[in-house]
Amino acid sequence: MSIDRFFQSLAEDRRERCIGVILSGTGTDGTQGLRAIKDLGGMTIAQSPDSAEYDGMARSAISMSAVDFVVPIKDMPRILNEYARRPDRSAISVDSDEQGGGTDYLNKIIAHLRARSRYDLRCYKK
């Protein structure tokens, strides 16, 4: 898909300064591209499936563990702004039901390690 190629190219060029966002849509478009963004240290966000008119793209990306944040659109600007303001692109907290509500220190540590070392430990057991 062309969006996957775009996201992959963007990830290769901008690495941890890259942000990928998936909104309402059908199919698997964007999933592989978001995976590339995450693998190269960028941040990825998907609209929560229950708030999307078409949830296929978000569900696909979520099922492939290609998404850092799953939130309603109304929460995206705050997350994007907070991430963009951090010079080291370290973890940010999200107060959302999809994220377990409140600050998750383990996710912050894992994101910090990923940003500093490029090792992605998010798939390891807690």
Side-chain angles (χ1 to χ4, degrees), residues 21-114:
V21 179
I22 293 291
L23 301 173
S24 179
T26 61
T28 62
D29 299 4
T31 298
Q32 295 304 316
L34 284 188
R35 179 84 257 156
I37 290 171
K38 279 181 63 88
D39 288 348
L40 291 173
M43 182 182 71
T44 58
I45 302 175
Q47 180 179 1
S48 57
D50 60 331
S51 71
E53 183 175 354
Y54 301 102
D55 64 1
M57 288 171 56
R59 288 194 188 281
S60 174
I62 293 164
S63 73
M64 295 296 291
S65 300
V67 180
D68 293 312
F69 299 100
V70 179
V71 296
I73 290 176
K74 67 179 179 60
D75 294 337
M76 289 183 184
R78 182 183 55 78
I79 294 168
L80 293 168
N81 284 328
E82 189 174 338
Y83 183 79
R85 278 188 247 137
R86 292 178 179 263
D88 64 351
R89 300 300 183 251
S90 60
I92 59 176
S93 64
V94 174
D95 293 326
S96 171
D97 291 339
E98 283 87 358
Q99 302 306 320
T103 303
D104 182 349
Y105 292 103
L106 179 59
N107 285 338
K108 283 186 171 189
I109 292 167
I110 290 171
H112 182 74
L113 289 170
R114 187 181 81 191

Side-chain angles (χ1 to χ4, degrees), residues 106 121-126:
L106 179 59
L121 304 173
R122 289 172 293 183
C123 294
Y124 287 76
K125 291 182 181 178
K126 290 186 178 190

